Amino acid sequence: MTHAQQGPGGGRSEPSARPTPFGRLITAMVTPMTDDREVDLDGVSRLAGYLVDEQGHDALVVNGTTGESPTTTDAEKSAIIRAVAEAVGDRARILAGVGTPSTAHTVALAREAAAAGAHGLLVVTPYYNKPPQAGLVAHFAAVADATELPIMVYDIPHRSGVPLETESLVRIAAHERIVAVKDAKGDLLASAWVMRRTDLAYYSGEDALTLPLLSIGAVGVVGTSTHLCGPQTRELIAAYVAGDAGLAARLHHQLLPLHTGIFRTQGPILVKAGLRGLGLPAGPVRPPLVEATAEQYATLVADCVAAGVKLPEEAA
């Protein structure tokens, strides 16, 4: 059976049997930097090991927006993939963010990511130029044809400027290498219709919507706050999958302050502040992002406390 089924009554696998091509708990990893804002490849390796071995992640996204991909060079992106693949590639799936507003550049980055050791690709909707739906379909098909790697499509219209409409998602799901969606559209009804009509594995792209999306057939999350609350988020997902909706709801409510609070400013800013507080590799952000203020860090600590997560009161 193909991923896509034409028509609203088309069959597909039941939610419990929906594939999990990249596991269930995924974090979009920040890119550690040195004090002079060069990529810290040793820190990249150590942070990847921490997230996989101590925080229990099934997969990591590197070179995503949380990894400050708009400010890293193509050469740096390849080096980051190699470092993470060498550190944890035998224990976790590595997805490389390769999306750009240019199809040709995205295809080139996809091929470079495959050569560097990525296990899959995260491909965001082309941003700023706002292509029509036919252009989006052609874009994703071209990237999917460029390598043998499975693809997770990233639907985030509040950043890209254009949503992937239901019919477009159904069309691209017919491609054998387009297997998953990172869903940050915030439209549960639209997502439910795509899940009804395809076998695409849906991953929440908004930490706080993990449980609501699980309830309509999603399989996991690609998180940001999960740098700091990986085990708790894994427990939430596991509880729901095991049929304990009550425990899943309690964990959902418990984690809400951190799942939402990490986005009080741009995610990399507060994640890196939190990681520095824990003594983990992070370093500064690159401009045009700026460092978290003392007040922002104090609020992050309060959000962590409210979520049952420990974070030192003093910023590193």
Side-chain angles (χ1 to χ4, degrees):
M1 183 175 71
T2 62
H3 292 301
Q5 299 290 340
Q6 298 301 320
R12 48 84 181 159
S13 59
E14 292 303 311
S16 61
R18 193 173 290 271
T20 56
F22 307 109
R24 294 191 183 275
L25 178 64
I26 308 171
T27 276
M29 195 178 93
V30 298
T31 300
M33 303 281 181
T34 63
D35 290 343
D36 56 0
R37 294 187 171 86
E38 295 297 319
V39 173
D40 177 6
L41 290 177
D42 178 65
V44 166
S45 298
R46 289 189 290 123
L47 180 59
Y50 169 79
L51 291 172
V52 171
D53 297 330
E54 298 188 41
Q55 291 285 300
H57 287 82
D58 300 311
L60 300 174
V61 170
V62 298
N63 298 331
T65 308
T66 306
E68 299 177 77
S69 60
T71 70
T72 56
T73 67
D74 291 2
E76 287 174 327
K77 288 177 172 64
S78 291
I80 291 164
I81 296 167
R82 290 190 183 93
V84 175
E86 290 174 5
V88 299
D90 61 338
R91 307 188 297 286
R93 304 284 282 172
I94 312 304
L95 286 84
V98 298
T100 78
S102 161
T103 299
H105 190 195
T106 303
V107 165
L109 287 176
R111 290 171 175 156
E112 291 171 12
H119 300 131
L121 304 173
L122 179 72
V123 185
V124 70
T125 307
Y127 42 89
Y128 189 75
N129 50 13
K130 297 181 70 173
Q133 294 297 306
L136 296 180
V137 171
H139 174 84
F140 285 107
V143 180
D145 287 339
T147 79
E148 297 298 317
L149 297 180
I151 286 176
M152 179 186 290
V153 171
Y154 189 8
D155 189 12
I156 182 167
H158 66 272
R159 282 186 182 265
S160 68
V162 60
L164 265 168
E165 295 177 358
T166 296
E167 294 304 321
S168 300
L169 281 160
V170 171
R171 287 179 64 189
I172 66 176
H175 198 294
E176 63 180 352
R177 284 188 287 280
I178 296 178
V179 300
V181 178
K182 179 182 177 184
D183 182 14
K185 186 154 38 186
D187 185 341
L188 294 178
L189 182 58
S191 300
W193 273 110
V194 177
M195 283 185 260
R196 175 181 171 87
R197 297 176 61 189
T198 78
D199 281 333
L200 288 169
Y202 259 68
Y203 292 84
S204 177
E206 298 184 58
D207 300 16
L209 289 183
T210 301
L211 181 57
L213 273 164
L214 286 171
S215 75
I216 60 169
V219 301
V221 62
V222 180
T224 301
S225 65
T226 46
H227 284 84
L228 306 175
C229 59
Q232 297 90 337
T233 304
R234 172 177 281 282
E235 185 182 1
L236 184 162
I237 296 168
Y240 185 82
V241 171
D244 192 342
L247 175 57
R250 289 194 295 274
L251 289 166
H252 168 74
H253 293 140
Q254 174 188 317
L255 290 168
L256 270 177
L258 182 52
H259 277 175
T260 59
I262 203 74
F263 301 108
R264 292 179 188 276
T265 183
Q266 296 304 320
I269 294 174
L270 289 182
V271 169
K272 284 193 166 184
L275 292 174
R276 289 195 301 269
L278 293 169
L280 292 165
V285 292
R286 280 182 173 173
L289 298 184
V290 295
E291 302 307 321
T293 65
E295 292 77 12
Q296 287 172 328
Y297 183 80
T299 302
L300 175 63
V301 171
D303 289 336
C304 285
V305 169
V309 175
K310 293 182 179 180
L311 191 65
E313 294 186 7
E314 295 297 324

